[in-house]
Amino acid sequence: MTPLYDRDGWIWQDGEWLEWRAAKMHLLTHTMHYGMGCFEGVRAYEGAGGTHIFRAAEHTRRLVESAHSLDIPLSFSEEALIEAQRACLARNALTDAYLKPTVFLGAEGLGLRAQGLQTHVMIAAWDLGPYISPQAATHGLRALTSSWARHHVNISLCRAKTSGHYVNSILALNTAVKAGFDETIMLDPEGYVAEASAANVFLLRDGVLHTPEVTSCLQGITRDSVIQLARQVLGLEVRERRITRDELYTADEAFLTGTAAEILPLRELDGRHIGTRAGAPPVSEPIKQESVTARLQHLYRQAVRGELEEFSHWLTPA
Ligand code: PMP
């Protein structure tokens, strides 16, 4: 596979265009050393009405709020950052794409007490495709509960999507992947379900959707889209509350949500098959089309491509 750095294209940085292969930074770049930065993962989709960025305003607002919470000054407005994301798609002739706007601190100084650091913003966009595999959407994931706890409001900024948070995610994910699983479910420091490595989690039980409240998990934008689609289109009740891992084991259905992941069924957790309460048969069958998970996947696919009139305000033309 060609490395990501080796491709044609343009990366936006601080209002300038850098040729993709020449988009380099100094080795003393502060954020590379301490993880003090923040980013977004955004998707654009091509539909009948052209290419649109999905929920650009919400992603850009979260980026600006993450920077603010980290006390990193930004000189670009939300409007300017949305314009830059649109320009990034146009300049790279992308339709279905993943965008990664990132805020980082420069190489003016190193150390925790460094002063006079410049803030930089970069936006790269490329054709990411499915997050794990095309089969993950139909057949779902097998996950392992992590021994690593997720964040706590008194340890880190749970609402912010900071670069440094992902050490914790990658530790948890790598342990699960090395043990032969697809994903990990992380618990908060008190042992309640928080989220997956880079996605929120939902469960369905007796026709009601449940998802953890946003204390130890990211306030996902896909999570919000799914809550709105479930309530407004499917007429489901959605409860945000503390969830225990055995509730996931015994759920009727469970799934993960994220911009990159979209909606992925969670089929198995710690060897318990979700939905059958009958041991752990291998996950060889696709999920049923009439399941709530499949119906939400369908609605989400329609929403991101502008096929749901009542949710067209989620789209920004590229
Ligand atoms: N939790 C974490 C830790 C994530 O990295 C992501 C992906 N951004 C999510 C949840 C899902 O958030 P969103 O739906 O906004 O992409």
Side-chain angles (χ1 to χ4, degrees):
M1 210 168 68
T2 320
L4 187 57
Y5 58 75
D6 186 14
R7 54 167 58 208
D8 296 329
W10 298 91
I11 294 181
W12 184 95
Q13 189 187 316
D14 304 331
E16 317 261 308
W17 293 103
L18 306 178
E19 202 278 318
W20 191 282
R21 291 182 188 80
K24 296 184 178 166
M25 62 184 191
H26 197 273
L27 289 177
L28 298 184
T29 299
H30 195 274
T31 300
M32 191 181 87
H33 294 265
Y34 309 109
M36 184 75 177
C38 53
F39 67 98
E40 272 304 313
V42 187
R43 274 196 194 259
Y45 295 89
E46 187 175 26
T51 294
H52 290 85
I53 305 178
F54 187 63
R55 305 203 70 175
E58 291 82 354
H59 281 287
T60 308
R61 183 171 162 193
R62 190 170 65 186
L63 182 72
V64 168
E65 290 181 348
S66 296
H68 176 68
S69 299
L70 287 169
D71 204 12
I72 295 178
L74 263 188
S75 53
F76 291 98
S77 65
E78 290 178 38
E79 295 71 32
L81 292 171
I82 292 174
E83 275 315 302
Q85 291 170 73
R86 297 178 63 210
C88 213
L89 292 172
R91 183 141 188 154
N92 290 290
L94 287 164
T95 52
D96 286 71
Y98 182 74
L99 299 104
K100 189 170 187 291
T102 301
V103 174
F104 63 100
L105 296 171
E108 290 75 17
L110 216 54
L112 307 194
R113 291 160 192 265
Q115 296 288 317
L117 298 172
Q118 295 288 309
T119 306
H120 299 285
V121 188
M122 70 113 215
I123 305 170
W126 67 98
D127 46 346
L128 178 71
Y131 180 55
I132 296 179
S133 67
Q135 292 73 29
T138 51
H139 288 67
L141 306 176
R142 298 174 57 241
L144 181 70
T145 301
S146 183
S147 60
W148 296 100
R150 196 57 175 150
H151 302 297
H152 180 269
V153 286
N154 209 23
I155 297 174
S156 54
L157 299 163
C158 294
R159 296 285 170 111
K161 194 168 163 63
T162 71
S163 307
H165 279 176
Y166 287 82
V167 174
N168 177 250
S169 289
I170 294 170
L171 284 172
L173 180 63
N174 282 355
T175 309
V177 169
K178 275 193 171 180
F181 294 86
D182 308 305
E183 233 328 323
T184 185
I185 293 295
M186 304 190 71
L187 309 179
D188 69 19
E190 289 181 76
Y192 294 90
V193 173
E195 59 184 337
S197 56
N200 292 109
V201 58
F202 284 77
L203 69 85
L204 180 86
R205 187 169 172 100
D206 298 334
V208 177
L209 272 181
H210 304 261
T211 192
E213 44 193 18
V214 285
T215 43
S216 276
C217 65
L218 189 70
Q219 189 165 24
I221 291 162
T222 320
R223 175 185 182 277
D224 177 69
S225 306
V226 162
I227 291 174
Q228 291 195 48
L229 291 170
R231 283 186 179 146
Q232 291 173 40
V233 185
L234 299 184
L236 290 177
E237 186 185 338
V238 185
R239 292 188 202 150
E240 297 174 65
R241 61 173 185 83
R242 282 181 148 188
I243 289 172
T244 58
R245 82 170 88 175
D246 47 0
E247 288 184 88
L248 275 176
Y249 293 160
T250 57
D252 298 325
E253 297 178 32
F255 57 86
L256 307 182
T257 64
T259 299
E262 300 171 313
I263 302 176
L264 296 177
L266 182 63
R267 300 300 292 280
E268 186 189 311
L269 180 61
D270 303 338
R272 278 79 160 175
H273 192 252
I274 295 171
T276 62
R277 301 178 189 98
V283 180
S284 55
E285 299 281 308
I287 57 163
K288 295 199 170 56
Q289 282 314 298
E290 62 276 17
S291 65
V292 166
T293 308
R295 289 164 68 200
L296 284 167
Q297 284 178 322
H298 180 67
L299 285 172
Y300 188 73
R301 267 183 224 120
Q302 288 184 305
V304 299
R305 293 193 170 74
E307 293 163 20
L308 297 182
E309 186 56 40
E310 65 272 42
F311 296 100
S312 56
H313 58 280
W314 283 346
L315 304 186
T316 300

